[in-house]
Amino acid sequence: MRIAVLGTGMVGRAIAGRAAELGHQVTVGTRDVATTRAGDWTEWATAHPAVGLAGYADATADAALVVNATSGDGALPALTAAGEANLAGKVLLDIANPLDFGKGFPPTLSVVNDDSLGERIQRAFPRARVVKALNTLTADLMTHPRQLADGDHSVFVSGDDAEAKRIVTELLASFGHTDVIDLGDITTARGTEMLLPIWLRLYGTLGTAIFNVNVVR
Amino acid sequence: MRIAVLGTGMVGRAIAGRAAELGHQVTVGTRDVATTRAGDWTEWATAHPAVGLAGYADATADAALVVNATSGDGALPALTAAGEANLAGKVLLDIANPLDFGKGFPPTLSVVNDDSLGERIQRAFPRARVVKALNTLTADLMTHPRQLADGDHSVFVSGDDAEAKRIVTELLASFGHTDVIDLGDITTARGTEMLLPIWLRLYGTLGTAIFNVNVVR
């Protein structure tokens, strides 16, 4: 599958590297290719020669699945740059969290309670098939869940399009996830985005990001 | 230990019944004793003869530990009726969630993101030793956790007073909880209160309230 991963940070690199390793054709999208290449990208790219790099629109144009791995603030600008027409009809896996660091640490959420970033993206790009997922755990566990309790923990999908959720669920299963819970429509992204505050506190208490919730039932 | 349980609903009854079963002297506090007796209280009370019933202030006056098992909206009025002086120096276990059903189902939170009900209660009653706990699971699992996965799931405590958290943690252990995670000060109650949206969606998806999260690490 052709996959565009928008975002060159820790999450974008984790998803791009893992998807390429699994045989997908992956292009990472960035705002400005030259700026990204001038940073520490080249070192990472040398270790991942199969992953391409392009501007947001070029990366998205021929992708079947687009991953929003930008920061919460950067999501709508990046997707706008990718282009509404380039997103139309495509599965858009949204991993971003709307974190607001303006008041210091821990961050609050800039969208919360009666709305979510997932919903905002779906409203802004009504022809995209948005699926919120993987925003509830650290990047290394998103892509390599079996390293913790042999994968015995849970992730979630939220979205209005059942087929898009099926495609994302299959991708998650290929990463090693064994418990992907379908919470319902895109409004259920409020629930997973609102997990961030307890995630941040658990990170502080446990002293590691390698943890996740298992929904015991 | 003398325990006052403020609130006559499902949560209050569960905590009161379990604490009495474990040998504590329990009085349930209510706004108006006659009104409570005129409802379905008598049937429950007949099955739990060791549990007393009194007004908020009378129930609280000689308790060592006070449980806020009211609804979120009812918490501050009930605690005000219990009396600031009656709460001073005491452990105040706050189980309430600030649910707002004004916009229909699922409810939103009336306090969220940069504040929490737990913090509001601590600010309103600075001499009480507030511990937020048990607000993340259904009443029957609060008091009988071993019925699910032999208790292999997590609960949380948040509060500014280490000794108060120790007392609550011991009470939770006596109920059967084996993984009580201390998240830190009372501001960490934001994290557990913000679990409610995903809890409500999981309740809908799973079709049962008998589930909980296990923090796998």
Side-chain angles (χ1 to χ4, degrees):
Chain A
M1 184 161 54
R2 283 187 184 274
I3 298 179
V5 177
L6 309 186
T8 60
M10 194 170 67
V11 172
R13 292 179 189 190
I15 300 289
R18 182 69 160 140
E21 177 187 292
L22 293 169
H24 299 287
Q25 292 174 273
V26 182
T27 303
V28 170
T30 185
R31 191 174 44 187
D32 184 80
V33 170
T35 303
T36 297
R37 286 223 172 92
D40 64 354
W41 174 262
T42 305
E43 188 182 341
W44 186 87
T46 303
H48 299 84
V51 176
L53 181 70
Y56 286 135
D58 287 344
T60 305
D62 62 355
L65 185 145
V66 180
V67 180
N68 172 31
T70 65
S71 69
D73 280 354
L76 287 172
L79 292 166
T80 300
E84 202 285 328
N86 284 334
L87 296 170
K90 293 181 182 169
V91 178
L92 173 49
L93 165 55
D94 171 32
I95 310 183
N97 280 303
L99 295 179
D100 177 2
F101 288 89
K103 296 169 193 160
F105 192 88
T108 54
L109 296 175
S110 60
V111 191
V112 70
N113 207 19
D114 60 357
D115 200 3
S116 63
L117 180 61
E119 288 164 85
R120 283 198 179 178
I121 292 172
Q122 184 64 82
R123 285 199 304 271
F125 301 96
R127 294 194 291 169
R129 302 151 76 195
V130 178
V131 179
K132 187 97 200 186
L134 293 184
N135 60 310
T136 56
L137 71 176
T138 197
D140 198 37
L141 277 180
M142 294 178 190
T143 52
H144 296 88
R146 301 293 292 265
Q147 71 184 284
L148 176 66
D150 198 28
D152 190 21
H153 44 91
S154 309
V155 288
F156 310 94
V157 290
S158 301
D160 295 340
D161 185 306
E163 171 71 2
K165 286 193 283 193
R166 191 190 60 72
I167 291 166
V168 169
T169 298
E170 280 182 11
L171 182 68
L172 272 44
S174 75
F175 288 174
H177 289 284
T178 55
D179 187 31
V180 183
I181 300 177
D182 184 348
L183 290 174
D185 67 25
I186 192 63
T187 69
T188 66
R190 298 173 197 176
T192 56
E193 292 180 9
M194 288 168 80
L195 274 176
L196 261 286
I198 196 168
W199 189 94
L200 289 163
R201 297 304 197 150
L202 284 166
Y203 179 42
T205 294
L206 302 176
T208 174
I210 303 297
F211 67 89
N212 191 19
V213 296
N214 182 28
V215 178
V216 182
R217 68 273 198 192
Chain B
M1 183 162 51
R2 282 186 184 275
I3 298 179
V5 177
L6 309 186
T8 60
M10 195 170 66
V11 172
R13 292 179 189 192
I15 300 289
R18 182 69 160 140
E21 177 186 293
L22 293 170
H24 298 288
Q25 293 174 270
V26 181
T27 303
V28 169
T30 186
R31 193 173 43 188
D32 185 79
V33 170
T35 303
T36 298
R37 287 224 172 91
D40 64 354
W41 175 261
T42 304
E43 187 181 341
W44 186 87
T46 302
H48 299 83
V51 177
L53 182 70
Y56 286 135
D58 287 344
T60 306
D62 62 355
L65 186 146
V66 180
V67 180
N68 173 31
T70 64
S71 68
D73 280 354
L76 287 172
L79 291 165
T80 300
E84 201 284 330
N86 283 334
L87 296 170
K90 293 179 183 170
V91 178
L92 174 49
L93 166 54
D94 172 33
I95 309 182
N97 280 303
L99 295 180
D100 177 2
F101 289 89
K103 296 169 194 161
F105 192 89
T108 54
L109 296 175
S110 60
V111 191
V112 69
N113 206 20
D114 61 357
D115 200 3
S116 63
L117 180 60
E119 288 164 86
R120 283 199 180 176
I121 291 172
Q122 184 63 82
R123 286 198 304 271
F125 301 95
R127 294 195 292 168
R129 301 151 76 195
V130 178
V131 179
K132 188 98 202 185
L134 294 184
N135 60 309
T136 56
L137 69 178
T138 199
D140 198 36
L141 277 181
M142 294 178 191
T143 52
H144 296 87
R146 301 293 291 266
Q147 72 184 285
L148 175 67
D150 198 29
D152 190 21
H153 44 89
S154 310
V155 289
F156 310 95
V157 290
S158 302
D160 295 341
D161 186 307
E163 172 71 3
K165 285 192 283 193
R166 192 189 60 72
I167 291 167
V168 168
T169 299
E170 280 182 11
L171 182 68
L172 271 44
S174 75
F175 289 174
H177 289 284
T178 55
D179 187 29
V180 183
I181 300 177
D182 184 349
L183 289 175
D185 67 25
I186 192 64
T187 69
T188 65
R190 299 173 196 176
T192 56
E193 293 179 10
M194 288 169 80
L195 275 176
L196 261 286
I198 196 169
W199 189 93
L200 290 162
R201 297 304 196 148
L202 284 167
Y203 179 42
T205 295
L206 302 176
T208 172
I210 303 298
F211 67 88
N212 192 19
V213 296
N214 182 28
V215 178
V216 182
R217 68 273 199 192

